[in-house]
Amino acid sequence: MTNTPLYYAEYLKIYKLANYRFKFLVESLEYETGHLERLSLFEDILLENESNLNLVFQASKHDDVVTIAFAELISLPRQTIIENTAIFESIFSRAITGKYLYSCDKALINIRALFAKKKCGLSMNFIKDILYDKALDTKIKIAIAQDVSENDDYSLNINWSTINLATNSFIIPAYMYVFHKRDPEKSLSALITVDIDFANNYFDFFFYPIEITLLQLLQVQNKFKEYFILKQRIKSKKILDIIDDTINKSSELRSFIDSPEVYAINLNEESYALRLKNFAFDNYEMN
Amino acid sequence: MNNKYFLTVIEQFEEKERNALHELLSKWECCTIWEGCVEFQECNHKKLVDNIRNEHFLAKDSFYEILNYFLSNSDKELSEVLNLLRSNILENYILKGGNVIKKPAFLATCVKKNILENYLLKNNYTLNETERFFQKDPAEFNVKEKKTLLKFSNRLIWVTWDEFDEVDPYNFLHTLSVDAICDAMALDKSYRNKQLALLYFMVDPNRLDQFPIYRPTWCDANFFDKFSPTDPSKEIRWGQTSPTVQLNLKPNYQERRPEGVVLSNNLPCEYLNRRIKIIHP
């Protein structure tokens, strides 16, 4: 085998000690050798370097070695992941700068999944740098912003209302998650700022925030009429399709929308629009 | 076991090559230390070689190519040969077992819950969205959830079903538990003590004829030594699992459960027909 990884020789000494071979290997690298070996091991997992992973993990009938290796990484104690933050940030930075050529996307996606699952991993300053890095892939930025919005440790430290959604569209799904419970109208109104191209390219990220927002709006039923007014201001057909799909698939939402009360609201949509013309949607900057 | 099929495949070789192949396999099965590759060190090497001899569903041309490959690399260690072959398996030798005959409409598979969660996270799901996915009735799945695959593209999903066409493919068990599933489905030991997600699918009866389910082969099993090729004198329609212990079965059910392989791309979540069931160790 060529290009034998740095951690391999060390691994051979210890692998027979236990079933939890990967955890032993990580511990061994922490206590005996250190940073470079851990970096090398974690890089192989995050870059899905199959030939090197075959040296450490066993594929089975049902799971390939890449899947098993990533599951093992995620099974490490949260504390171990936190202690290795510098390593993950280093791998992330190298991925962003194209250090890994073809595997850059894999590394970014895997680090993001690790970070989401363990609710830790990257420092707040590092996250800010990522979110405002114009060169970074938008899908990764949207996903990381969403992870941040679901993690109170990070989310509570951000003043979401001051973010300019029109110039930072990647924040919108995260913004909707943050506001869906306490102010579902505000969450829904963020969709007005979504431009057509952005929605066409990244619509996958809107299913969940739209669903939880509509379900929350249902909890405050007298607010549902605003939904009809907001809906008229949404530019993207893709977003409108997602809203329709969400309503059609949810028995709860469908039965409410089909109810006589809502039917009446719908008929009177225009008069509501007039009465609510000064409705304060905009606690954020529209432009 | 029955090695008739293997013998018909090697008939295509010259006598000298045939003898060399027999000799090579005998050498490999007696090999006690497989240096150089961790993943083969712990497996039952004799069983792995037996699986080659007992294979019946693998298409003859593919089988011939693999045996020829063994011959041309006969000077190398088996672990090295298998490692090199493994890198070609996904592209060339999976789904070569022929179609399952009398395809079932109700299928099931079993995955580790954490592996499915990780996979969803890698596919633009958030953590909370992932939790919701596990709780949702598939009838309420949105477009994104419906098109979600259970594995990366072109990977295999191992499915089972009820031989009497019952809706629940796990109906053969008195009690649904992690150990019972692991024993019956010959799952890897790493599945024990883990939360398992059971996924139940239904294929539209009108599309059943075109729905591709294949009989599993030694190559589909990725050299997994707990896999046993199906003996065609006992079952020709589909593959059968190889339970690790005697199972506590309901009357009339067979120990070896029906099994087949489906390409992940062909079994998106729109085929789920009930909520994902989580069983705890």
Side-chain angles (χ1 to χ4, degrees):
Chain A
M1 194 72 63
T2 53
N3 297 326
T4 304
L6 284 167
Y7 52 83
Y8 185 48
E10 206 54 42
Y11 167 70
L12 275 182
K13 289 182 203 160
I14 58 156
Y15 84 92
K16 282 184 177 167
L17 291 177
N19 287 329
Y20 301 105
R21 299 177 308 176
F22 174 65
K23 291 185 182 69
F24 270 77
L25 174 57
V26 171
E27 276 178 27
S28 162
L29 298 179
E30 280 173 9
Y31 292 118
E32 291 171 32
T33 48
H35 185 90
L36 272 179
E37 287 78 4
R38 274 202 317 282
L39 177 67
S40 166
L41 173 63
F42 292 149
E43 268 185 358
D44 280 340
I45 296 173
L46 296 167
L47 295 168
E48 303 182 356
N49 188 345
E50 201 162 342
S51 57
N52 282 354
L53 294 178
N54 274 332
L55 300 170
V56 180
F57 302 96
Q58 281 182 284
S60 75
K61 175 175 154 190
H62 295 85
D63 300 311
D64 58 89
V65 75
V66 168
T67 301
I68 288 173
F70 188 72
E72 288 287 333
L73 177 64
I74 282 208
S75 74
L76 284 176
R78 191 168 182 261
Q79 193 54 33
T80 307
I81 303 291
I82 291 170
E83 283 164 6
N84 284 285
T85 294
I87 288 180
F88 293 116
E89 289 186 353
S90 162
I91 296 172
F92 210 114
S93 298
R94 287 145 70 101
I96 291 168
T97 53
K99 163 78 172 61
Y100 304 119
L101 298 172
Y102 304 113
S103 301
C104 176
D105 285 352
K106 282 181 190 168
L108 293 176
I109 289 165
N110 284 328
I111 290 173
R112 179 256 147 182
L114 171 74
F115 157 65
K117 185 77 178 277
K118 303 304 277 194
K119 297 185 178 176
C120 65
L122 305 171
S123 67
M124 195 63 214
N125 281 339
F126 191 79
I127 288 169
K128 282 181 181 164
D129 288 346
I130 291 167
L131 294 181
Y132 291 102
D133 182 342
K134 294 208 183 305
L136 186 57
D137 181 67
T138 304
K139 279 188 180 176
I140 292 289
K141 286 165 71 166
I142 298 172
I144 288 179
Q146 283 187 297
D147 296 337
V148 167
S149 72
E150 289 188 7
N151 184 335
D152 285 348
D153 289 343
Y154 294 126
S155 182
L156 296 173
N157 289 318
I158 295 171
N159 186 355
W160 295 88
S161 291
T162 61
I163 295 173
N164 183 342
L165 297 181
T167 53
N168 295 292
S169 301
F170 71 91
I171 297 278
I172 295 172
Y175 179 95
M176 290 182 71
Y177 180 82
V178 168
F179 288 107
H180 83 276
K181 258 199 179 137
R182 55 185 147 117
D183 194 347
E185 288 165 54
K186 189 168 179 168
S187 167
L188 201 62
S189 63
L191 293 173
I192 296 167
T193 57
V194 180
D195 73 44
I196 293 167
D197 284 346
F198 187 84
N200 287 346
N201 290 330
Y202 308 108
F203 60 89
D204 259 7
F205 295 93
F206 285 95
F207 283 98
Y208 181 59
I210 286 175
E211 182 180 345
I212 54 176
T213 300
L214 291 179
L215 286 171
Q216 191 62 32
L217 215 52
L218 206 57
Q219 305 304 312
V220 276
Q221 293 191 1
N222 61 332
K223 292 283 182 189
F224 214 85
K225 57 183 177 286
E226 275 84 37
Y227 152 79
F228 292 103
I229 299 170
L230 287 165
K231 200 178 163 190
Q232 287 184 328
R233 296 178 61 191
I234 293 171
K235 299 184 283 284
S236 160
K237 171 145 186 341
K238 199 84 195 176
I239 294 290
L240 292 171
D241 286 347
I242 292 173
I243 291 174
D244 290 343
D245 179 55
T246 305
I247 290 171
N248 286 334
K249 291 292 158 25
S250 162
S251 51
E252 229 179 323
L253 285 167
R254 206 171 49 234
S255 60
F256 181 71
I257 292 280
D258 291 343
S259 69
E261 182 202 359
V262 174
Y263 183 68
I265 293 172
N266 207 1
L267 280 182
N268 291 315
E269 200 173 281
E270 283 189 23
S271 83
Y272 273 106
L274 285 170
R275 279 166 54 198
L276 297 169
K277 65 180 178 184
N278 294 321
F279 181 72
F281 301 112
D282 310 334
N283 289 330
Y284 56 88
E285 296 174 47
M286 290 291 293
N287 293 301
Chain B
M1 277 295 282
N2 181 340
N3 65 350
K4 275 185 196 163
Y5 187 70
F6 170 75
L7 294 176
T8 61
V9 176
I10 63 166
E11 274 299 312
Q12 297 171 72
F13 290 93
E14 298 290 328
E15 190 182 354
K16 192 178 159 195
E17 292 172 322
R18 270 205 305 276
N19 290 338
L21 260 174
H22 282 305
E23 202 177 311
L24 188 65
L25 291 182
S26 301
K27 187 182 121 192
W28 281 346
E29 74 183 335
C30 297
C31 189
T32 50
I33 303 169
W34 289 16
E35 292 289 354
C37 189
V38 172
E39 63 183 324
F40 292 116
Q41 281 173 349
E42 288 184 357
C43 74
N44 181 338
H45 312 131
K46 181 168 188 328
K47 178 75 190 305
L48 215 146
V49 175
D50 276 347
N51 283 351
I52 300 170
R53 294 197 186 106
N54 295 328
E55 178 57 57
H56 281 90
F57 293 150
L58 184 62
K60 273 187 179 162
D61 53 347
S62 298
F63 208 165
Y64 178 86
E65 278 175 35
I66 292 174
L67 293 175
N68 202 24
Y69 169 85
F70 285 161
L71 269 182
S72 53
N73 290 280
S74 57
D75 55 329
K76 297 191 175 95
E77 290 292 333
L78 177 57
S79 57
E80 190 179 349
V81 178
L82 294 185
N83 264 330
L84 291 168
L85 180 61
R86 181 170 276 190
S87 57
N88 291 318
I89 284 278
L90 265 179
E91 284 165 22
N92 301 316
Y93 300 115
I94 61 165
L95 304 175
K96 299 286 188 186
N99 275 301
V100 161
I101 301 163
K102 192 177 177 293
K103 285 176 194 161
F106 297 99
L107 306 169
T109 194
C110 167
V111 293
K112 283 181 209 161
K113 182 173 182 254
N114 72 320
I115 282 193
L116 184 53
E117 280 171 353
N118 297 345
Y119 180 72
L120 294 175
L121 286 170
K122 289 181 181 193
N123 282 276
N124 302 336
Y125 277 69
T126 72
L127 200 56
N128 292 345
E129 191 179 10
T130 302
E131 275 175 31
R132 179 151 177 75
F133 177 83
F134 279 98
Q135 292 157 5
K136 237 179 170 181
D137 181 340
E140 300 202 339
F141 274 179
N142 58 40
V143 175
K144 174 182 176 180
E145 289 157 340
K146 278 183 166 185
K147 70 181 183 188
T148 295
L149 304 179
L150 300 176
K151 287 184 174 179
F152 292 112
S153 292
N154 299 319
R155 297 285 181 180
L156 294 182
I157 296 177
W158 288 71
V159 290
T160 188
W161 55 89
D162 184 283
E163 57 265 57
F164 306 116
D165 293 331
E166 292 284 340
V167 176
D168 181 359
Y170 298 109
N171 192 45
F172 64 97
L173 288 170
H174 285 288
T175 316
L176 203 55
S177 67
V178 171
D179 283 344
I181 297 278
C182 286
D183 291 338
M185 298 296 132
L187 296 177
D188 183 75
K189 67 182 177 188
S190 68
Y191 278 67
R192 298 202 187 254
N193 306 317
K194 293 276 168 37
Q195 283 186 15
L196 300 184
L198 304 186
L199 300 114
Y200 299 84
F201 305 92
M202 189 183 82
V203 182
D204 179 350
N206 297 323
R207 292 163 66 185
L208 212 50
D209 283 347
Q210 290 82 45
F211 190 79
I213 312 177
Y214 294 88
R215 298 182 301 185
T217 72
W218 168 77
C219 293
D220 296 322
N222 203 18
F223 314 126
F224 185 62
D225 59 345
K226 308 296 182 296
F227 170 80
S228 292
T230 303
D231 184 341
S233 65
K234 291 173 184 153
E235 180 58 75
I236 189 73
R237 293 169 296 174
W238 49 61
Q240 291 182 314
T241 62
S242 185
T244 45
V245 297
Q246 194 172 4
L247 304 176
N248 182 15
L249 297 166
K250 286 184 186 166
N252 301 325
Y253 279 106
Q254 292 181 34
E255 280 262 309
R256 294 193 67 181
R257 307 302 311 148
E259 71 176 352
V261 280
V262 180
L263 206 58
S264 55
N265 315 40
N266 293 326
L267 200 61
C269 288
E270 68 174 298
Y271 285 100
L272 285 173
N273 75 329
R274 64 166 100 166
R275 275 195 177 89
I276 296 169
K277 183 182 262 182
I278 306 297
I279 48 174
H280 302 268

